[in-house]
Every structure is written in structure tokens, then in C-alpha cells.
Amino acid sequence: MDRETSSLDVEKSVANIGSRADENTDAMDLSPPILTTAGRVTKLNNKIESLAGLEARGITRVLPEERHARSLAGYIQMALLWFSANLTANNLAVGLLGPLVFELGFVDSSLCAVFGSFVGCLVTAYMGIWGARSGNRTMIVARYFMGYWPSKIACFLNIVIMVGYGTIDCIIGGQILSAVSGGSMSIVVGIIIVTLVSWTVAVFGLAVFHVYERWAWLPQLMVLFILVGAAGPNFDPSIKSTGNSASINANRLSFFSLSLSVPASWAAASSDYYVYYPESTKTWKVFLMTLLGLALSFSFVNLLGVGLASGIATTPAWSTAYDTSSGALILAGFGGLEGFGKFCGVIVALGVIANNIPGTYSAALGFQVLGRYGKVIPRYVWVCVVVAIYFICAIAGRDNLFDIFENFLALMGYWVTIFVSIVLEEHLIFRRSVGFDWTAWEDRKRLPMGIAALVAFLVGWAGAVVGMYQQWYVGPLAKMVGDAGSDLGIWIGCGFALIVFPPLRILELKKVGR
């Protein structure tokens, strides 16, 4: 039965959790009190983890008795988390790609962006149901579907996704801040500002992270509505898709797939933020609230991006701004508001931090999942490593944002959808009546071998390769669609995996038994 809570906090106070980061650190209590280098490091780590608000826990399973009570506020927080994290400029920039890169009209771009992102939201909402059920992080849950060792491939790829999005967020934020300053502040300085704020929140963990996301959507929503009012009159819904019928259909499919890839990329992390919810949390409510937050935010910002792109041809100031950067284009949308418009631009720029924080948090956990050596390094240290990596990448790639968007996002969408296809079949076909032993999260002998999942994953990747369409490679099947080709990677990859996995899994269960 539900119990009322006096706070909207969805995370248990880290003070109640204590400073136990992982189970194997208990051996520290047996060490003699000798002032060695290791002893000094341990003492420093304990002092850092004792800071108020810092989450000391790493990837260790959250036991049922350590979780907070179920509440209406907790369910609302699920939606707010995803709404805040994705009501941001980086997702708005995805909408720009429909008219500007794929040469689609206003209607085609809008439909592909909305429905494509909705399918991706379904993928992430489904993967979010496992956090409260298991008390385990998403890449720990992956061990139950892909096996202990094969799941590390998915974990590594998830780190790449989160670092990639961190890079994009920093570049977008830096571009807007630079545009606000009239070019007197370089993009690099803007990147530094976004990076530092992201690091500050992510290093403290879920308690601070959830508080931030609870309110971050409010200023973003306000300034984006202002952007609609200021830029809306220059939107051009009359623009049409260019090319013959075959080319237009190919571009529709490519942009639909790209729009799907963006929200779907959260799937490999979505359970990370629900591990403190009780086991009694309703699965359908988790799915619905996650889907609600994702779908509303992505639909709104994608449509806004399509609108801005549609007005470039007829608005000289926007065309000039776009030649500078996509961030400058977003700021140009506030044209006519003068100083207040620049203030709104700063709010939009800082909004990408809400998108950056959860990715940074999950990437840090991913390093711990990769192996026992990574596990013993505290989560907050890995946060610092992740931030340093995407800061360097953002500095290096700040002039190639659209290339990163067009190639990186679609490429990452391939593996996520293949992975979720395997999870879905294992769940609905092989585990529906058997269930899971969530206490076996670190016991290799009780987890699946993962041979069937690994083979299906690799076969799915082979399908993605022959169907992918990227600037640096076009698969043979992709070339067959339209005049210039289309991106079929997600669909062929998922199809191959869905076909191959069930018979292989049946054989694996027959021969191995788990």
C-alpha cells in the first residue's frame, strides 16, 4: 500500500545509505591502521564520501530495505526527469536536420521527427521498468539478458554514447553562449562553463541530480515558448521536400531512423535512475511516466527545430546565423528581443546541462561495470574521467557538430535497438514465467552464459552494416533505396537479431541450462 512522503525527493538520503560503495570494500576494516599510501587514499576517499549529499554507492544492488517509500511524487518525478533532460537545445538541433540535411519539407520533417522520436521513446520507456524491479543499474540488468561477459560489449558502447552526447551538449551550449557574447567569448569558454556545471551536479550523484532535474524544465519551457512567439512568424510551413518520389521516401526513412535513435539511446541507461524505487512500484506506471516525459519533450523541441530550419531560406538574419553555427541560429530566433533575447539564449545554453548530467552519471557507472578493477574506483572519480573525456572531444570537434549528429547518432542507434530486441525476446519468450533472481547480479555461475545473445548481437550488427548509410560508408542494401540510398541499419539489424536469437537461445538452454 502507498505511503505518503513529506518530500518530493525520490532518492533516499545518501546519509541513510552510508558510505558502502561496494560489497568488496568491507575488507578495509581488517587492515591495520598503518599510515601507508593506500591508507591515506582510503582515508581521503572516506572523507570525500562523507560529504553531505554525495552518493557513495557505485553499482552495488540497492536492497529492498534501502529504498524509499512508494508515492505519487515519485511517479511524477519520473516524468519530470525525462522532460527536463530532453527539453534542451541539443535535441532541438536534431529537428534542424530534416529540412537542412535531408531536404525534407515542413510536414515531412515534422511527421518523421515526432513519430520517429515516439518509437525511440517506447524503447527507452521499456528498458526503464527494470530499475525498480531489480535494484540494479541498466548495464547490470544486461547481464541477465546477454550474460556476464558479452554484456560488457553493450556497456562499453553505452559509455561511448554517453560521452558522445556529452560532447554534443558542450558544443551546443558553447555555441549559444559564444553567440550571445557577439563572438567576444569563444566557443571554448562556453564549453568550459557547461562542462563545469555538469561535473558539479553529476559528481554528487542521484540525490542532487534528481533535485536539479525536478526544476530544470521550468526556465527551459518558458524561454522555449518565448522562442516560439519570437521566431514563429518566420516559420515556413509551405516548404516542400525536394527530389523525386524515391529520393524523398529514402530521406524520410533516414530522418525517421535518426529521430528514433536519439531517445532510444537512453535505453541503455534508463533504469539507472530508478534503483531507489521500491519493488512494489507499478511497472506500467514506470513505463507510462517515462514515456510521457520523453515524448512531450522530444516532440516539442523537434518541431521547434524543424520550424527554425524552415525559415532559413526566407529570413536572411537566420541564414547568416546558421552559417556561423546552429547555436547562433537558435539565438537568432530570439531576434527583436534585444537584451532579453540574449538572456533567453543564456538560459537555453545552460539547459543542455540537464541533458548532460544523467549521461555523465551513467557513463561513470559503466566504467565500474566493465571490470573489478574499475569497480573499486569510486563513482565520483569516474565522473571526473568522463567529464575530462567529453571536454577534450568537444574542444576538438566544436567545428563539426552536424557531422557528429548525422553519423554518430545513427551509428549508436544501431546497437541499442539490437540490444533491446534481444532483451525483449528473452523477457517475453524465455523469462515470462520463470522470472529473475536479482541477487545473482555478480555471480557468473548463476547468470546466463550469453552465447546466444552474443551471436544474435553480432549477426544484428552484420545486418546493420549492410544496411547503414553514413558519409564514410554505405551498405549494399542501403544503396538499393532511392537514388542516393537510405539508412536501413536499425531495421535490418533488429530483424536479423530477432530471427536469430530464439533458436540459438533454445539450443543454449538445452545444452548449458542457463
Side-chain angles (χ1 to χ4, degrees):
M1 182 176 290
D2 291 358
R3 290 179 291 171
E4 296 296 329
T5 56
S6 60
S7 170
L8 287 176
D9 289 340
V10 300
E11 297 308 321
K12 210 172 203 182
S13 172
V14 291
N16 293 333
I17 297 174
S19 61
R20 41 182 161 7
D22 289 294
E23 295 168 347
N24 63 351
T25 58
D26 292 339
M28 293 179 183
D29 297 334
L30 304 177
S31 303
I34 300 175
L35 199 60
T36 61
T37 301
R40 293 190 186 96
V41 172
T42 300
K43 185 177 180 180
L44 176 61
N45 179 60
N46 291 338
K47 183 178 293 186
I48 292 173
E49 290 185 347
S50 67
L51 293 173
L54 183 74
E55 182 187 16
R57 183 184 296 275
I59 59 172
T60 304
R61 179 175 181 248
V62 182
L63 301 176
E65 59 270 21
E66 294 179 310
R67 307 185 198 181
H68 64 77
R70 192 175 64 181
S71 67
L72 175 62
Y75 288 118
I76 294 174
Q77 175 65 21
M78 293 179 180
L80 290 179
L81 161 64
W82 294 108
F83 190 67
S84 287
N86 294 290
L87 196 72
T88 51
N90 60 308
N91 292 325
L92 187 154
V94 175
L96 300 175
L97 300 178
L100 299 180
V101 174
F102 295 99
E103 300 180 333
L104 295 174
F106 186 92
V107 174
D108 281 344
S109 295
S110 299
L111 291 174
C112 290
V114 170
F115 287 102
S117 63
F118 184 78
V119 175
C121 294
L122 290 172
V123 173
T124 294
Y126 168 68
M127 286 304 299
I129 68 175
W130 302 106
R133 279 189 179 189
S134 66
N136 286 317
R137 314 290 185 169
T138 316
M139 287 295 100
I140 294 294
V141 172
R143 294 175 176 177
Y144 290 83
F145 298 100
M146 291 194 67
Y148 184 88
W149 293 109
S151 65
K152 293 183 185 296
I153 299 174
C155 181
F156 173 77
L157 292 172
N158 186 51
I159 293 173
V160 174
I161 278 188
M162 297 306 159
V163 169
Y165 274 107
T167 301
I168 291 170
D169 289 337
C170 289
I171 294 174
I172 286 281
Q175 286 180 346
I176 298 175
L177 290 174
S178 177
V180 168
S181 70
S184 60
M185 182 180 76
S186 70
I187 294 176
V188 173
V189 176
I191 290 173
I192 292 173
I193 293 172
V194 173
T195 301
L196 287 177
V197 180
S198 300
W199 171 81
T200 303
V201 179
V203 80
F204 276 90
L206 280 183
V208 177
F209 156 48
H210 269 291
V211 172
Y212 186 92
E213 300 289 354
R214 184 179 306 146
W215 303 108
W217 64 273
L218 186 56
Q220 285 298 301
L221 187 62
M222 293 173 65
V223 297
L224 289 177
F225 272 128
I226 293 171
L227 180 59
V228 171
N234 292 319
F235 291 177
D236 186 4
S238 66
I239 64 169
K240 305 296 182 182
S241 301
T242 60
N244 58 38
S245 178
S247 296
I248 291 173
N249 288 332
N251 289 333
R252 285 169 178 163
L253 181 58
S254 292
F255 185 51
F256 183 96
S257 301
L258 181 64
S259 299
L260 183 159
S261 298
V262 182
S265 63
W266 284 114
S270 55
S271 285
D272 292 355
Y273 321 121
Y274 298 156
V275 293
Y276 290 102
Y277 282 81
E279 290 179 307
S280 60
T281 303
K282 300 294 185 182
T283 298
W284 69 270
K285 290 184 179 179
V286 175
F287 179 87
L288 184 61
M289 298 308 286
T290 302
L291 179 63
L292 182 66
L294 286 166
L296 288 177
S297 56
F298 273 104
S299 296
F300 180 51
V301 295
N302 283 347
L303 288 174
L304 189 50
V306 171
L308 285 172
S310 71
I312 288 179
T314 56
T315 311
W318 290 11
S319 179
T320 302
Y322 174 64
D323 290 338
T324 301
S325 70
S326 58
L329 171 62
I330 295 172
L331 182 65
F334 291 105
L337 300 181
E338 298 181 351
F340 181 68
K342 292 184 176 182
F343 170 77
C344 291
V346 172
I347 300 299
V348 171
L350 297 180
V352 299
I353 295 168
N355 186 268
N356 220 6
I357 293 167
T360 304
Y361 179 84
S362 292
L365 293 173
F367 277 107
Q368 290 189 319
V369 176
L370 283 179
R372 65 179 185 272
Y373 296 111
K375 181 184 172 184
V376 298
I377 298 175
R379 180 196 58 81
Y380 65 84
V381 174
W382 284 122
V383 168
C384 298
V385 172
V386 171
V387 169
I389 293 173
Y390 66 60
F391 170 72
I392 294 171
C393 292
I395 297 297
R398 63 188 183 275
D399 297 323
N400 301 287
L401 180 63
F402 269 22
D403 290 338
I404 297 173
F405 262 124
E406 190 176 1
N407 294 284
F408 169 78
L409 296 185
L411 189 63
M412 289 298 99
Y414 301 151
W415 85 263
V416 171
T417 49
I418 294 169
F419 164 70
V420 175
S421 298
I422 294 171
V423 172
L424 190 64
E425 287 192 324
E426 175 73 14
H427 175 207
L428 298 180
I429 299 175
F430 300 101
R431 298 282 191 148
R432 192 165 187 173
S433 58
V434 178
F436 301 86
D437 179 6
W438 299 118
T439 64
W441 66 276
E442 208 171 24
D443 189 344
R444 303 172 199 172
K445 295 181 180 179
R446 295 159 63 193
L447 291 168
M449 288 286 290
I451 299 173
L454 177 60
V455 174
F457 188 77
L458 295 176
V459 170
W461 255 111
V465 169
V466 299
M468 71 168 57
Y469 185 96
Q470 304 296 327
Q471 287 186 343
W472 43 271
Y473 174 77
V474 179
L477 294 183
K479 294 178 182 178
M480 299 172 65
V481 181
D483 293 337
S486 181
D487 194 352
L488 306 174
I490 286 178
W491 313 105
I492 298 177
C494 286
F496 279 21
L498 288 169
I499 293 171
V500 168
F501 180 70
L504 289 177
R505 183 61 173 142
I506 292 172
L507 181 62
E508 183 181 33
L509 288 171
K510 184 177 180 179
K511 297 295 184 181
V512 181
R514 57 186 173 92

